[in-house]
Amino acid sequence: MNTAMQTSPQMAAPHDELVALVPRVDIHIFCETQETGQAIQVASGDRRMSRAHVTIQLGGIAAAVQVYQSQPTPNVLVVETHGSRDQVMAELARLAEVCQATTKVVVIGHVNDVILYRELVKAGISEYMVAPVTSVSFIEAIANLFSDPKAAPLGRIVSFVGAKGGVGSSTIAHNIGWALSQRQNIDTIITDLDLAFGTAALNFNQDGAGGIMDALAQPDRVDSTLIDRLMTKLGSKLSLLNGPSTVDRDLSIEAHSVETILNVVRYSAPLVIVDVPNMWAPWIKYTLLNSDEIIITATPELPALRNAKNLVDMLKAARPNDKPPRLILNQVGVPKRPEIPVNDFAKAIGIQPSAVIPHDPQSFGMAQGNGQMVFEVAPKSKSAEVLGDFARNLAGNQKATADVKKSSSLLAKLPLFKKK
């Protein structure tokens, strides 16, 4: 094929829930079927594609050849074809005559043929996907075009947010982070984004002069070396990145600063626990929308119910390709306090709680006073048991990302490459 299409071929990775953000690139898609167009249309609205500019039209390779006779090709060109092996190669030969060398070409085909795949690799095609494609598999294929094979694996960002102040979201986030690192043996970073009133340093008995403000103030200088210098090591498997916890300075946070920091931090550990403050601002919304998983903590009261439902509805609508947020009901069973029954609470917001933590002021109060975790001061308490189960469940999801899952890439569908 014409060297104008010589790009670095990449084999699609097995489907993984952790998909990197697609960079700011132009992506033009020429489909032959409405089904493919609809799947890609859904993908274009996904949070991981928010920075890319996507154009979709029908016509397949023939339409692409006609369009690019009079204009330059984009960063990424996706074409669909129903042709046989020989037809596909002939069509792509015509496309190569009008395609720039810097353009990455993705072919969506309807032929599951390893010989065709090899010929496409030799011709410089970046990826071959077998139809039908799903929205998530398409996003993953595009993201993989720009991934560095030498980079560290992508870590999971799990954000904890309270439905209202005082529900214990921060305390739960810190305990879960500790359990993941100490009991599940997973390298974990706790990032406390409550810069003025954060409690991570207190809960771990550390100096509150955290360095995340330095990173937020100069996001263009943020890299793994700087983040490592700013973090506090709490053991071989746990690190803390927190704010100053003072009110003697005005704090202004931009969404792009948080984006830069989290994108660096997630390459530093398999799990990143983000303690999101109970407030509302563009950067808070950005952090939640772009997390891999969201944990909402609420107490069984009407204000928490209303706020939790608002959060759940917003997140479900804005993240159609992601799992819904999880719910933790905390401080259940406070004496003499009227409470909404757990089942009624769950029915109202449409999510069953992943954990129900009983009112346990003695265990949590002792842990907070000592700068320790509940697991350390009351390991046999019901609270520690529930939190431990939740951490194991979260760790199971993390470990599952290493498994080979179903993919629409060619090799994943061939018998030789299927998981046994």
Side-chain angles (χ1 to χ4, degrees):
M1 180 171 290
N2 190 298
T3 56
M5 289 181 61
Q6 291 297 327
T7 56
S8 299
Q10 295 187 21
M11 190 181 305
H15 174 63
D16 195 316
E17 293 179 4
L18 292 182
V19 180
L21 298 179
V22 175
R24 292 179 176 86
V25 292
D26 288 326
I27 306 173
H28 293 185
I29 298 101
F30 291 82
C31 302
E32 286 193 345
T33 64
Q34 292 287 350
E35 292 76 13
T36 298
Q38 289 172 358
I40 296 178
Q41 183 66 48
V42 172
S44 68
D46 188 271
R47 60 182 177 86
R48 288 154 290 202
M49 294 277 286
S50 61
R51 296 185 294 180
H53 182 268
V54 181
T55 301
I56 306 172
Q57 63 186 78
L58 294 173
I61 298 178
V65 172
Q66 183 176 1
V67 168
Y68 298 118
Q69 286 178 347
S70 58
Q71 68 182 64
T73 48
N75 304 109
V76 179
L77 175 59
V78 182
V79 292
E80 183 181 15
T81 175
H82 278 82
S84 62
R85 185 195 314 160
D86 292 339
Q87 290 174 323
V88 171
M89 298 309 297
E91 291 175 340
L92 291 176
R94 291 192 294 272
L95 181 61
E97 296 176 359
V98 298
C99 192
Q100 294 176 292
T102 55
T103 296
K104 298 179 183 293
V105 178
V106 176
V107 178
I108 299 174
H110 292 255
V111 178
N112 190 2
D113 184 349
V114 69
I115 297 177
L116 172 60
Y117 178 84
R118 290 171 179 168
E119 290 181 358
L120 292 174
V121 168
K122 291 178 182 179
I125 297 300
S126 297
E127 172 65 297
Y128 180 73
M129 304 182 71
V130 178
V133 299
T134 66
S135 298
V136 175
S137 66
F138 179 80
I139 298 168
E140 184 177 32
I142 300 300
N144 285 343
L145 298 178
F146 300 94
S147 63
D148 181 0
K150 297 181 181 179
L154 198 64
R156 178 183 298 275
I157 294 178
V158 181
S159 288
F160 285 74
V161 64
K164 70 181 189 70
V167 299
S169 175
S170 293
T171 298
I172 291 173
H174 306 158
N175 275 275
I176 294 299
W178 185 94
L180 289 167
S181 64
Q182 303 302 313
R183 293 189 168 186
Q184 304 303 318
N185 202 34
I186 299 174
D187 286 316
T188 305
I189 297 174
I190 296 176
T191 302
D192 189 349
L193 292 182
D194 192 341
L195 306 184
F197 303 107
T199 58
L202 283 175
N203 287 344
F204 286 102
N205 197 26
Q206 297 293 316
D207 182 356
I212 196 172
M213 274 302 300
D214 294 336
L216 288 169
Q218 46 189 348
D220 294 340
R221 294 185 57 239
V222 172
D223 57 20
S224 57
T225 302
L226 176 62
I227 291 296
D228 189 64
R229 180 171 63 83
L230 297 177
M231 285 192 301
T232 301
K233 302 295 183 183
L234 303 178
S236 61
K237 294 287 184 178
L238 184 62
S239 298
L240 174 63
L241 182 63
N242 64 297
S245 299
T246 61
V247 294
D248 59 354
R249 58 191 294 190
D250 293 332
L251 305 174
S252 178
I253 304 176
E254 299 293 335
H256 80 274
S257 299
V258 177
E259 173 189 4
T260 300
I261 291 172
L262 293 182
N263 282 344
V264 173
V265 171
R266 72 184 307 170
Y267 284 99
S268 301
L271 265 173
V272 180
I273 301 295
V274 182
D275 184 1
V276 180
N278 180 251
M279 54 184 290
W280 201 243
W283 69 271
I284 295 283
K285 183 177 181 179
Y286 173 86
T287 301
L288 294 176
L289 291 182
N290 288 279
S291 299
D292 296 303
E293 191 151 6
I294 302 164
I295 316 296
I296 298 173
T297 299
T299 49
E301 305 166 280
L302 186 58
L305 171 61
R306 179 202 62 185
N307 296 351
K309 178 170 176 52
N310 288 340
L311 281 171
V312 168
D313 290 347
M314 184 273 293
L315 292 169
K316 282 184 175 181
R319 294 158 50 94
N321 298 316
D322 291 271
K323 294 185 297 185
R326 297 199 199 199
L327 172 67
I328 292 180
L329 275 181
N330 192 27
Q331 303 172 16
V332 175
V334 175
K336 299 182 180 180
R337 180 183 72 176
E339 295 182 350
I340 300 173
V342 173
N343 289 338
D344 293 347
F345 198 104
K347 184 177 180 179
I349 67 172
I351 293 179
Q352 287 294 324
S354 299
V356 178
I357 303 174
H359 178 55
D360 188 0
Q362 181 175 359
S363 298
F364 284 103
M366 185 183 304
Q368 187 177 56
N370 294 342
Q372 294 178 293
M373 299 294 104
V374 169
F375 300 103
E376 298 174 288
V377 301
K380 296 183 180 180
S381 65
K382 181 63 176 179
S383 300
E385 178 186 344
V386 173
L387 288 170
D389 289 341
F390 184 86
R392 279 190 293 273
N393 185 276
L394 200 59
N397 281 359
Q398 174 64 27
K399 294 171 182 176
T401 62
D403 294 339
V404 177
K405 300 179 181 179
K406 184 179 180 181
S407 170
S408 63
S409 69
L410 175 65
L411 291 186
K413 292 190 173 184
L414 295 174
L416 179 62
F417 295 92
K418 287 183 178 178
K419 185 181 177 182
K420 303 296 185 184

